[in-house]
Amino acid sequence: MIDMAGIVVDGPVHRLLDGCTLSVASGEVHAVVGGASAGKSVLAAVLMGHRLPSRGVSEVAGYDPVRQARLVRRHATFVPQASRLDADLTPRQHLRWLLQLAGVAAAGDPVAIRRALRAAEIADHEFDRTLRHASPATAFQVWLAFADAAAHQAVILDDPTRYLSTTAARRTSGVVRRLAACGAAVLLLTSDAEFGERTADALTPLDEGRMHRTRSLLGAAADA
Amino acid sequence: MTAAWPIGVSHLRRLLRRRVVLASLAAMAIMASLSTWSGIRQRDVHEKRVADLRRQIADARTRQTAAFSGTATEPALREVRDLPPAAILVRGLDDRAPAYWDFGPDGVTPSIVDADEQDDGAGPIIDLELIVRVGIGLFACLLAAESVLLIRADGGLAGLAGLPLAPSEIWLGQLLGALAVSALAWLIVAGSAAVTVAVASPGDLSNAIGVLVRLTVPTSVFVLFAAASGAWLAAWSPASRSVISAALMTWLVISVVLPPTLVAVARLVRPAISAAATLGARASLDAVGQAAISRELGAAMRHTRPDQVGDDIDPAQVASGELDRLWTKLHADLTAETSALTQSLADNRSARDRLLGAMEFLSPASLFWEAAGDAAGSGRRAAAAWNAAIERRHRQLRALIFDDPPRIQVRSDRQIYSFERGRGRRPGDVPAFRIDPAPLAHVNWRDVAVLTLYAGFCLTLSAWRVARRFR
């Protein structure tokens, strides 16, 4: 579902991504772990078609991000690094709004919205509570609910736990895994190695734009 | 483009929750109320003055001995200028335009104002025009710049970039939100002005609402231009702080610095003769003319009796019409000289008006300034209409009184000599004359069209830049 081969992105001063190759199948959570300036956000931008690679090919949900960026965005969810949503809207309002913008039919279906919010492990009493008064993880969970309601085949998360506490991050881990269980390919770009190890089926370190050897975590995930 | 609407609505709601936005709206509402209240007070003062002037004119005309000699300025022929009803909202040139005009054989003498100031209207007057030009314009410019910047600065919109939306849809949605708040600012300002009129001067309410509706046309286009210029700046700059500073500076230059600068340039290129100088020149011409008349008549009499300047005037000279011919010649010379001065002043002023009219296309704020004045009937074009009407009135009076010098009657009693014109015209001979300022207000579609072109230009460039910058 998410494939890339030999992706190279040259920045104005130095190379940002250098020959990145990765494949995430349906139902798999793949974590790419790297520190600041490792190239995680650039990788996400390339996969969502926001940035053109200097070299290499990629495919997300069966579409080429270079030539079919709109189709990629129609079939994949991208959760940005700072997924701040409007603090004065409720999760229900947010989800309806995002679905409406994405042109998803579920936007007009209150039952589907409620089901997606529950699937994202947002408590019923938080559905209509503004994000200002909700837990910090709720914004991230709204995005995951969106991916669920839109039934996207690929989900790319850019450092989702950056502004979350350890407890909140742990809470969202199960939701991410549930998305994969529903058949989505989830690419987790994170600086939180612990979150990556806990959540993903496979982990690839990323350092200064270069990917290292992928490590399978299937046993560890099963243990968890 | 269907997604632009929900993005715009969401952005509008977000903006309306911000304290700084709410505080700005409240400040503009207060300023609108204060400026309208001050306008009503100024109008009352003006009306009191106009009533005094009218009373003086009525007194002068009903006096038993009243007659127009036609040799000098006649206060009894004074025309008083009514205040445009909308001047309580948009001052325009009002407090710099003459309150009355006096007519004489040598031309029209306005009440004391500085002619140089008549053209630019520069002054620390706060009215709805200034609130829109500087206040709402700056508000729209900064709001649009910030809203478009948020496309990449705010996490929420970074998230939107992952949705199947074109960057131009997000850009348009954000811009719509900013525009909606700016439109709301105008509604609040107009509403505050209307409420103030309703409370302080209920009789003017229907008229004020008409003006506010007319003003809405140029205001909408001007606010669109302001927002478009902010969006354009934001689309080009990489850093948010520099964009906000650039938008602030740009707007101050456009709305505050540029309009008076253009007027100053026009004044430099076309220096009109100031009213004070004109009045001085006319007074001096009057004095010279009267002295010349006295001298020439005296010489004529002395010629008759060179050895004795006394009270004995040669009846033959009077009977032969020599004094009449002399008087007519002097009158014609004086009139020609002063007409030339008046004409040169009028030519200079109309040339400057044309120059200003041409230069205002360089400045959208000047265009709005003009359009707002036109909508209220207190602008430069309304002033030009007044001046044209006054010139027509002067031509009428010239034909009736000034261009027909009556016969000289010379009499001699205790004075060496004296002369006076023959039977003067009575006030009843002069037809009534009055200009209704209300019909002078209109929507200036030409300025509105040019402002629309400015706005369209900025919007197109901004959208093009956004489409190129974001995939």
Side-chain angles (χ1 to χ4, degrees):
Chain A
M1 269 303 126
I2 302 173
D3 296 291
M4 58 179 147
I7 292 290
V8 174
V9 175
D10 289 317
V13 181
H14 59 275
R15 186 159 281 184
L16 302 173
L17 290 179
D18 191 1
C20 292
T21 300
L22 188 76
S23 181
V24 186
S26 289
E28 183 190 358
V29 180
H30 194 120
V32 173
V33 179
S37 305
K40 301 186 298 294
S41 296
V42 178
L43 190 59
V46 168
L47 289 174
M48 292 308 293
H50 293 141
R51 185 156 195 161
L52 295 178
S54 309
R55 278 205 304 276
V57 290
S58 58
E59 192 179 282
V60 176
Y63 299 100
D64 179 359
V66 175
R67 286 177 291 124
Q68 298 167 300
R70 289 287 287 272
L71 286 170
V72 167
R73 291 171 206 161
R74 193 170 290 284
H75 293 94
T77 297
F78 169 61
V79 182
Q81 192 175 73
S83 58
R84 274 181 290 136
L85 294 171
D86 194 335
D88 289 305
L89 290 186
T90 65
R92 196 195 298 270
Q93 289 169 329
H94 265 303
L95 184 55
R96 191 185 304 126
W97 186 64
L98 289 171
L99 291 169
Q100 189 184 357
L101 289 180
V104 177
D109 183 357
V111 178
I113 287 176
R114 194 164 52 240
R115 190 192 57 74
L117 290 171
R118 281 183 183 147
E121 292 189 1
I122 299 175
D124 282 15
H125 68 273
E126 287 192 327
F127 285 5
D128 297 310
R129 182 186 285 182
T130 58
L131 290 188
R132 193 183 300 282
H133 302 105
S135 77
T138 310
F140 175 50
Q141 287 170 286
V142 169
W143 278 107
L144 296 180
F146 167 71
D148 182 61
H152 281 166
Q153 299 154 21
V155 180
I156 298 170
L157 311 169
D158 184 10
D159 220 352
T161 57
R162 185 169 180 176
Y163 301 105
L164 298 185
S165 64
T166 313
T167 318
R170 190 166 293 153
R171 186 176 155 195
T172 56
S173 183
V175 186
V176 174
R177 288 219 54 85
R178 188 163 298 147
L179 273 177
C182 292
V186 181
L187 176 60
L188 188 59
L189 304 158
T190 179
S191 55
D192 184 349
E194 190 197 333
F195 178 71
E197 285 180 358
R198 190 172 55 247
T199 312
D201 302 316
L203 187 147
T204 304
L206 180 69
D207 185 25
E208 293 187 345
R210 289 187 181 185
M211 279 185 168
H212 297 277
R213 199 165 150 268
T214 300
R215 182 158 54 99
S216 172
L217 299 170
L218 276 174
D223 290 346
Chain B
M1 286 295 152
T2 49
W5 185 246
I7 293 174
V9 171
S10 164
H11 187 48
L12 169 66
R13 286 205 305 232
R14 198 178 309 153
L15 288 173
L16 287 180
R17 283 193 299 267
R18 288 177 57 183
R19 282 191 193 138
V20 66
V21 171
L22 294 176
S24 304
L25 292 175
M28 282 189 267
I30 292 168
M31 280 175 67
S33 289
L34 286 178
S35 75
T36 307
W37 179 75
S38 147
I40 291 170
R41 286 203 50 167
Q42 282 185 13
R43 193 270 314 273
D44 292 345
V45 169
H46 184 98
E47 279 190 345
K48 202 173 281 179
R49 190 177 171 206
V50 163
D52 282 347
L53 287 167
R54 290 231 156 88
R55 203 172 306 119
Q56 287 171 19
I57 296 166
D59 288 349
R61 288 190 177 184
T62 51
R63 207 170 289 136
Q64 285 299 314
T65 55
F68 304 124
S69 69
T71 58
T73 302
E74 298 283 358
L77 293 175
R78 179 171 289 174
E79 288 302 339
V80 178
R81 177 175 158 272
D82 285 312
L83 203 63
I88 56 174
L89 297 173
V90 177
R91 226 68 86 239
L93 299 169
D94 205 68
D95 57 349
R96 284 162 291 268
Y100 62 84
W101 292 268
D102 283 341
F103 298 93
D106 54 337
V108 183
T109 308
S111 59
I112 300 291
V113 282
D114 187 348
D116 282 348
E117 283 189 3
Q118 283 189 41
D119 290 331
D120 61 9
I125 293 166
I126 296 179
D127 59 358
L128 290 194
E129 184 274 324
L130 190 76
I131 292 173
V132 172
R133 178 158 52 90
V134 180
I136 299 183
L138 181 63
F139 187 67
C141 181
L142 292 182
L143 222 51
E146 193 200 42
S147 301
V148 175
L149 269 175
L150 286 175
I151 288 175
R152 53 189 182 283
D154 184 77
L157 281 169
L160 289 189
L163 297 174
L165 304 169
S168 53
E169 281 180 304
I170 302 175
W171 171 84
L172 184 61
Q174 291 289 98
L175 195 61
L176 280 176
L179 272 172
V181 178
S182 308
L184 184 66
W186 164 245
L187 287 178
I188 288 174
V189 162
S192 305
V195 167
T196 309
V197 172
V199 171
S201 180
D204 291 317
L205 185 59
S206 61
N207 192 24
I209 288 174
V211 173
L212 290 172
V213 169
R214 261 198 307 276
L215 264 178
T216 301
V217 178
T219 299
S220 308
V221 187
F222 186 64
V223 167
L224 179 65
F225 161 73
S229 55
W232 183 20
L233 282 170
W236 281 89
S237 300
S240 55
R241 186 172 292 179
S242 63
V243 167
I244 298 300
S245 309
L248 183 68
M249 294 306 296
T250 305
W251 193 255
L252 287 180
V253 168
I254 287 176
S255 68
V256 178
V257 177
L258 203 50
T261 305
L262 291 182
V263 173
V265 170
R267 192 182 294 165
L268 211 64
V269 176
R270 275 277 172 192
I273 303 162
S274 77
T278 310
L279 290 177
R282 282 178 182 160
S284 121
L285 275 171
D286 271 349
V288 168
Q290 293 295 346
I293 290 168
S294 303
R295 191 172 58 248
E296 294 293 335
L297 286 173
M301 287 183 288
R302 277 197 296 275
H303 181 69
T304 312
R305 299 287 302 271
D307 55 331
Q308 184 186 1
V309 180
D311 53 4
D312 191 8
I313 292 174
D314 184 3
Q317 197 178 15
V318 176
S320 70
E322 189 180 335
L323 289 180
D324 264 347
R325 282 195 295 280
L326 184 60
W327 163 261
T328 307
K329 178 179 176 301
L330 286 169
H331 185 275
D333 289 350
L334 184 63
T335 304
E337 204 166 343
T338 50
S339 290
L341 177 66
T342 309
Q343 190 58 46
S344 121
L345 177 68
D347 288 349
N348 211 341
R349 191 173 289 164
S350 75
R352 186 198 277 186
D353 272 351
R354 281 199 302 277
L355 183 64
L356 264 174
M359 281 173 54
E360 77 184 13
F361 286 100
L362 299 174
S363 161
S366 296
L367 284 170
F368 175 72
W369 195 348
E370 292 288 342
D374 289 339
S378 57
R380 197 153 49 89
R381 291 186 181 88
W386 273 98
N387 286 334
I390 290 299
E391 284 303 319
R392 282 199 302 277
R393 173 63 164 173
H394 185 245
R395 281 197 295 276
Q396 186 187 38
L397 292 175
R398 186 183 285 279
L400 273 172
I401 298 170
F402 303 128
D403 271 354
D404 179 24
R407 290 172 58 82
I408 298 290
Q409 292 179 345
V410 180
R411 64 170 187 268
S412 172
D413 36 33
R414 289 187 180 176
Q415 295 172 321
I416 296 173
Y417 66 86
S418 69
F419 61 93
E420 61 181 26
R421 305 192 68 174
R423 189 183 67 85
R425 271 65 170 172
R426 312 295 301 178
D429 300 339
V430 183
F433 176 77
R434 189 135 187 201
I435 303 174
D436 181 5
L440 298 179
H442 64 280
V443 175
N444 190 329
W445 293 109
R446 189 195 66 162
D447 286 354
V448 168
V450 180
L451 271 173
T452 310
L453 286 179
Y454 266 108
F457 178 69
C458 291
L459 281 174
T460 307
L461 282 182
S462 177
W464 171 77
R465 176 71 181 162
V466 166
R468 272 177 62 92
R469 195 182 177 93
F470 303 102
R471 271 174 53 78

